Amino acid sequence: MLIYLLRRAGVGLLMLLALSVLVFLLLRLTPGDPVSAYINPSAPISPEALAELRTRLGLDQPLPVQYLAWLRAALTGDFGYSIQRGGAAVLPLVIERIGPTALLMGCALVIAVVVGIATGIVSAVRRNSGLDVALSVIASLGVSSPAFLTALLGLYFFSVLLHIAPSGGMLTPGVPFSFGDLFAHLILPACLLSIGYLALIMRYMRASLLEVLNQDYVRTARAKGVKEFWVIVKHATRNALLPVITLIGSTIGVAIGGAIFLESVFNWPGMGLLLVNAVNSRDYPVIMCATLIIGACVIAVNLLTDLAYAAIDPRIQVAS
Amino acid sequence: MTVVSMQTIAGKPAGPMRRALGRFFSNRAALVGLVIFVPMLLAVVTYPLWWPYGPNAIDLTALNKGPSAKHWFGSDGVGRDVLARLLQGGRTSLMVAVVSVAISTVIGFVVGAFAAFGGRFVDGISMRLVDLAMTLPPVIFLLVLASIAGTGIAPTILVIALLSWPVLSRMVRARLLELRERDFVVAARGMGAGVGHLLFRHGLPNSIDIIVVYATLQIANAVLLEAGLSFLGLGIAPPEASWGNMLNSARSAAVLEHFPWQWMFPGAALVLTVLAINFIGDGLRDAFDPRSDLN
């Protein structure tokens, strides 16, 4: 188990390294001279000063050397300076955005898992009933409507028409911090973010439970006279949950993608908003750092899912 | 292909393609998808023939007016007809989606084929690349690529095409790896068939089902990606109309609150299209799966 864990972690690290090479190359391929980001366009600059600046920034070196220099600095936590935000160090800028995003995504995930699994069970147990069809149609709509559209609709109905939710931000400015205030700002975006994910989980749960309900041991349990409720809850659901757990891990990227749109509609001060603003203003050090941190989170979540899967399903023997 | 396989020859048992079509047309959701999608496509393609307004024509007597007999879906802040922009936006969105999916399908097939037929080394390299491309959330990659490519139709097509081939290449690879060991392929190889012959005479026809299903579902995905990019201001830039950049206008509080028709109609068009294409794609997948007759 330990060897498996170490090997998986090693592979994860390699992936992260490869990712950093990829993003580095992509951002260096951009049209335009990277040095121009560091000069004030309205002030004239002599060719000598430009060459000097280029040398100082290391931009006259070949690409592999530039990459290694960047990597060496990055390993010590120095991801460079934001071009846009008056030269603030990038890492703290990105780190402070992790918390809000994690909060938003965590809440959305909890809602999606709880409601998705519950409706999936109901849908499978009452399959082909009116309720099942209605839930399936809603799920299809949920999967097909993009996060930014649900975000806009939610904002329109709950903030503009009904005035029951704040229209954006994480805290009311000028008011001392309180959990009630945070919760009021959190609940609408979290619910909206959970919709797409919830629909996905519901579909999987329904299909997976239907498959399990056809198994012999479920028939055995029913034949023994176990109450239908316990057959569903204890015998069927526990096994049907297994594929859903993998789904949660493998589609975490979908949730992150949704979070970016939600954050940008609701002005939620998280990674997504930071990344979108950085992309809009071509702030490459920030893009690079944010991308890597998100990539690291995705790799970590995938690793955790695999481990959880191995721990929950006794049929899976981890080869060491 | 459709026309040929629809012809019935008396006494001859129905071929696999015909049975697949039969399954497709008995699938209720897929039919609903067709019923939504086909009229929409027709409207989008033919609108200049029957709708009096152009997407960028300005009617100064109607600024931010709601739906009326004159402008069915209302008009926007500079007096442009929302329906005309919506239909033109549909053209842009579908065109971007179809072209980018065509490109990514070719890349996906070629990479998958090379991984399957190119030996272990090529296989290892290309599949690690695919792993890498699938590590990062697609939207993040999209943002990074878009920040490089810039806005406009061609860059958007490029960005979406570059993003969506890895999954297909993996499916094609799995199918071709299996095919490689089959007797008729071994025989063809033994008779000296070249890579081109193997890929296009044997590989392509035997993986056409996954390619068609993938391409259909991926079109829905590409429509969403384009809309998402344009919504963030990184895809199709105004004045060119697209569903995404029409929705982008709702990021201004005034439009969101007071002129909902300017973003709700494109939003509805987007969801309906994606839903319909997904239904059709799911129907195709079930239709191509011979096991689904058993259920």
Side-chain angles (χ1 to χ4, degrees):
Chain A
M1 188 70 187
L2 186 67
I3 296 173
Y4 172 76
L5 184 68
L6 285 177
R7 209 177 55 204
R8 282 298 315 266
V11 170
L13 277 181
L14 276 181
M15 294 285 275
L16 197 59
L17 203 62
L19 188 64
S20 73
V21 175
L22 189 69
V23 179
F24 185 83
L25 283 180
L26 280 177
L27 293 184
R28 279 294 181 273
L29 287 177
T30 45
D33 191 342
V35 78
S36 61
Y38 294 89
I39 23 182
N40 180 359
S42 54
I45 183 166
S46 69
E48 292 82 38
L50 194 66
E52 204 246 50
L53 182 64
R54 203 184 291 274
T55 316
R56 191 152 52 81
L57 293 168
L59 291 171
D60 55 347
Q61 305 281 333
L63 272 181
V65 178
Q66 283 189 35
Y67 173 73
L68 286 179
W70 173 86
L71 187 66
R72 198 173 304 130
L75 285 177
T76 60
D78 173 13
F79 279 86
Y81 300 93
S82 165
I83 298 171
Q84 214 59 36
R85 293 162 189 256
V90 167
L91 193 62
L93 209 63
V94 176
I95 297 264
E96 72 175 20
R97 298 302 189 102
I98 293 180
T101 296
L103 182 69
L104 180 65
M105 282 190 54
C107 287
L109 218 59
V110 170
I111 299 173
V113 168
V114 172
V115 183
I117 287 178
T119 47
I121 294 176
V122 170
S123 212
V125 172
R126 302 241 178 286
R127 68 177 164 283
N128 298 332
S129 68
L131 184 63
D132 177 31
V133 173
L135 283 174
S136 295
V137 169
I138 295 174
S140 293
L141 274 175
V143 170
S144 302
S145 45
F148 52 88
L149 189 61
T150 40
L152 284 179
L153 284 172
L155 193 62
Y156 184 68
F157 283 113
F158 294 103
S159 299
V160 175
L161 292 186
L162 301 175
H163 295 290
I164 53 174
S167 63
M170 191 164 78
L171 298 164
T172 315
V175 173
F177 177 84
S178 74
F179 281 105
D181 186 38
L182 179 63
F183 183 74
H185 282 84
L186 177 64
I187 187 73
L188 182 60
C191 286
L192 293 171
L193 178 56
S194 72
I195 289 178
Y197 216 47
L198 192 161
L200 207 62
I201 292 179
M202 187 203 127
R203 280 182 161 190
Y204 257 74
M205 188 65 207
R206 178 179 182 275
S208 159
L209 189 59
L210 280 180
E211 199 152 292
V212 170
L213 283 176
N214 275 329
Q215 303 274 327
D216 285 341
Y217 67 85
V218 172
R219 196 170 307 135
T220 311
R222 282 182 178 146
K224 280 195 307 187
V226 178
K227 285 224 167 58
E228 185 63 19
F229 178 79
W230 291 115
V231 172
I232 302 288
V233 171
K234 278 193 75 172
H235 296 251
T237 301
R238 282 177 67 165
N239 283 308
L241 277 177
L242 290 172
V244 177
I245 291 173
T246 334
L247 175 81
I248 294 170
S250 62
T251 54
I252 192 80
V254 178
I256 292 183
I260 288 179
F261 291 109
L262 256 301
E263 285 179 5
S264 109
V265 170
F266 280 89
N267 233 355
W268 186 266
M271 291 278 267
L273 193 61
L274 180 75
L275 190 61
V276 169
N277 288 340
V279 167
N280 269 322
S281 57
R282 306 281 189 274
D283 194 345
Y284 293 120
V286 175
I287 300 178
M288 182 115 190
C289 183
T291 313
L292 282 181
I293 290 200
I294 293 174
C297 293
V298 173
I299 290 171
V301 169
N302 282 336
L303 181 60
L304 286 178
T305 327
D306 278 3
L307 292 180
Y309 203 56
I312 293 169
D313 191 343
R315 286 171 303 184
I316 292 182
Q317 293 289 323
V318 173
S320 44
Chain B
M1 186 179 281
T2 320
V3 180
V4 174
S5 52
M6 288 297 279
Q7 289 169 348
T8 31
I9 300 154
K12 201 179 168 200
M17 191 53 89
R18 209 185 116 71
R19 269 181 293 164
L21 277 175
R23 278 195 292 265
F24 180 76
F25 283 108
S26 56
N27 182 330
R28 229 184 316 156
L31 286 183
V32 170
L34 275 183
V35 166
I36 300 175
F37 185 68
V38 171
M40 209 132 166
L41 190 64
L42 275 178
V44 161
V45 172
T46 63
Y47 84 93
L49 301 177
W50 51 267
W51 189 242
Y53 302 97
N56 285 322
I58 289 171
D59 179 357
L60 287 175
T61 62
L63 297 183
N64 284 326
K65 287 282 176 358
S68 65
K70 201 167 151 216
H71 298 281
W72 292 354
F73 286 2
S75 60
D76 71 3
V78 289
R80 294 176 299 192
D81 183 70
V82 172
L83 179 58
R85 284 189 74 69
L86 188 145
L87 292 167
Q88 178 62 31
R91 275 188 179 193
T92 316
S93 295
L94 288 175
M95 199 264 286
V96 167
V98 168
V99 176
S100 62
V101 169
I103 298 174
S104 73
T105 307
V106 172
I107 302 179
F109 179 74
V110 169
V111 172
F114 269 96
F117 281 93
R120 286 184 75 170
F121 185 68
V122 179
D123 188 21
I125 297 271
S126 49
M127 283 307 114
R128 290 299 79 73
L129 251 178
V130 168
D131 280 344
L132 187 63
M134 285 165 73
T135 311
L136 214 53
V139 179
I140 308 280
F141 242 132
L142 206 60
L143 287 179
V144 173
L145 283 175
S147 76
I148 298 164
T151 59
I153 291 185
T156 308
I157 290 176
L158 191 77
V159 165
I160 297 176
L162 280 180
L163 193 82
S164 23
W165 57 268
V167 181
L168 177 69
S169 71
R170 186 168 281 181
M171 294 193 296
V172 167
R173 169 180 172 269
R175 175 63 63 88
L176 292 187
L177 276 182
E178 183 199 324
L179 197 72
R180 205 178 57 175
E181 309 303 328
R182 297 269 286 275
D183 286 342
F184 68 94
V185 178
V186 175
R189 279 189 138 172
M191 284 186 279
V195 176
H197 179 87
L198 288 178
L199 284 188
F200 294 105
R201 288 293 297 175
H202 298 298
L204 191 58
N206 280 296
S207 39
I208 196 74
D209 54 341
I210 36 181
I211 293 178
V212 168
V213 171
Y214 167 83
T216 314
L217 293 173
Q218 193 58 36
I219 285 179
N221 231 336
V223 169
L224 285 182
L225 287 177
E226 181 276 320
L229 268 186
S230 305
F231 176 76
L232 294 174
L234 298 164
I236 313 289
E240 193 74 56
S242 94
W243 289 338
N245 70 29
M246 291 176 83
L247 282 163
N248 183 11
S249 69
R251 295 182 76 188
S252 105
V255 172
L256 181 78
E257 284 179 37
H258 303 299
F259 316 121
W261 59 87
Q262 288 175 17
W263 58 272
M264 275 193 185
F265 287 119
L270 180 69
V271 173
L272 276 178
T273 307
V274 171
L275 195 67
I277 298 176
N278 277 336
F279 278 162
I280 296 173
D282 287 344
L284 283 175
R285 187 179 50 205
D286 292 347
F288 276 128
D289 185 359
R291 285 171 304 171
S292 58
D293 262 353
L294 302 174
N295 299 335

